[in-house]
Amino acid sequence: MFFLLGSGSGSPLEARQTHRGDLALIIIILAVFAVILGIAFIVYMRIKSYYKSEQYIEKERNRKTKYKDIQKLTKENNLSQAEAAMLWDICRITQCSNILYSVKSNLEVNALFRNAYNIMKEQNLFTEPKIDDFFTCLFKLEMIVAQTKKVLSTRQIPPSSVIFYISDAGEQYPFTVTQNQKDFFTAEIPDFVYTTPRRPPLLTRSRFTFKTSDGLSYNLITRIIRYNEGNDGKYYMVLSHSEQLECQAQRHFKREFLETQCSFKAVKVNPDPKKGEQKYSFSDKEYQGKLTNISAGGCCIQTTLPIKEKQHIGIILPDSGIKETLVGIIRKTRRLPNGKLALHIQFLDIPLAAKNRIHILVYKYEL
């Protein structure tokens, strides 16, 4: 039996009509598909527009925080499990609005945490570990907000800010910004710097450091254009603007700057304490010093004694609620313009209760 390829029962005219019918059907299907795609695109654009609308943003801002919001914040900012759990507790207890919008302002962040602290304290929900998690989480959120508002130019430094000139010897001298213009900014220079060889040379690359209101520290390099003596008898320097700013790595805890008396004493370290022995023993003799800043991680003390770096030291903080003598190690010493020595101290093996009292002192909360 033989089969002839291409043979058919219909005429060529019928074949053309069938082909035209198939083509018309295909065109109709494509047209319907195009209409469906067009409708889908219009719907998509309307949904997209809605999610960007003020109406949607306002709705999202005002709704209660959900756990998925905490998860998103945790993922984007590398919060620890303890910090995420504490933040979720805070949001649940306060019934706060969407935390994803609250972290855009440190005023809102601090208001939220202060409200939560008062509620948790009243309901006896705090333990020492939870207090530590609470303040660690607060500081982390403050830094998240600060990172979104980085300073890119000296034009962003507001008047009344204190910038510190860093000498070649590493000494720091405070200058107060008095005005910030489009082409330059001006700072008051203290007499003890202007009238001595400490005065920075003109038109050379000079190093400065400053801290923003949100707690970020910056190093910057700029040039001093000229010095002026004001009608008020004070000395001023005019500086060129600079974009050479470097944001410094942050500490793990917020610091509080103060001027209060403290005491310290020598510490002897037992590197291999036996059972019943103490790792640290303290000298009976106490020395007076001035506490100039403190955080849960360390402090700075001014003294006239010529103490060297890497020595252990015992710190006594009166009127702080801390009864223990805190053990620290001197990481850095810095000679001050007044002739005193600034001891930059890192706490070692600090008891959790003492650490929390420092948290409370720094943030000015009630015990």
Side-chain angles (χ1 to χ4, degrees), residues 165-166 173 175 189 193-194 196-204 206 208 224 227 237:
Y165 167 67
I166 305 174
Y173 303 110
F175 301 156
I189 176 171
V193 177
Y194 182 81
T196 66
R198 301 187 185 97
R199 184 173 65 183
L202 293 176
L203 303 177
T204 59
S206 299
F208 296 85
I224 302 169
Y227 290 105
M237 60 180 182

Side-chain angles (χ1 to χ4, degrees), residues 294-309:
I294 189 169
S295 76
C299 66
C300 181
I301 293 175
Q302 290 185 12
T303 179
T304 56
L305 298 177
I307 302 176
K308 296 182 180 179
E309 296 176 355

Side-chain angles (χ1 to χ4, degrees), residues 114-213:
R114 190 170 289 274
N115 183 26
Y117 180 85
N118 292 333
I119 294 173
M120 295 175 77
K121 180 184 172 186
E122 183 180 343
Q123 297 180 4
N124 295 318
L125 299 178
F126 273 133
T127 60
E128 293 294 350
K130 276 198 170 186
I131 294 176
D132 185 41
D133 290 340
F134 179 92
F135 286 105
T136 301
C137 184
L138 172 53
F139 180 73
K140 193 71 165 284
L141 261 66
E142 286 181 329
M143 290 299 101
I144 291 171
V145 173
Q147 289 289 345
T148 64
K149 300 178 180 180
K150 282 190 175 181
V151 178
L152 303 177
S153 167
T154 52
R155 292 180 176 87
Q156 296 172 254
I157 302 176
S160 300
S161 298
V162 177
I163 62 174
F164 290 86
Y165 167 67
I166 305 174
S167 71
D168 292 337
E171 299 169 322
Q172 296 186 15
Y173 303 110
F175 301 156
T176 302
V177 176
T178 54
Q179 58 178 319
N180 197 329
Q181 305 291 335
K182 179 181 177 181
D183 299 321
F184 62 87
F185 66 109
T186 305
E188 181 185 341
I189 176 171
D191 290 351
F192 70 84
V193 177
Y194 182 81
T195 57
T196 66
R198 301 187 185 97
R199 184 173 65 183
L202 293 176
L203 303 177
T204 59
R205 288 162 57 88
S206 299
R207 294 188 302 144
F208 296 85
T209 183
F210 71 96
K211 183 185 288 289
T212 67
S213 59

Side-chain angles (χ1 to χ4, degrees), residues 79 113 129 140 156 172 178 188 235 244 256 258 284:
L79 299 183
F113 273 73
K140 193 71 165 284
Q156 296 172 254
Q172 296 186 15
T178 54
E188 181 185 341
Y235 299 101
Q244 289 185 270
E256 169 70 0
L258 33 74
D284 292 331

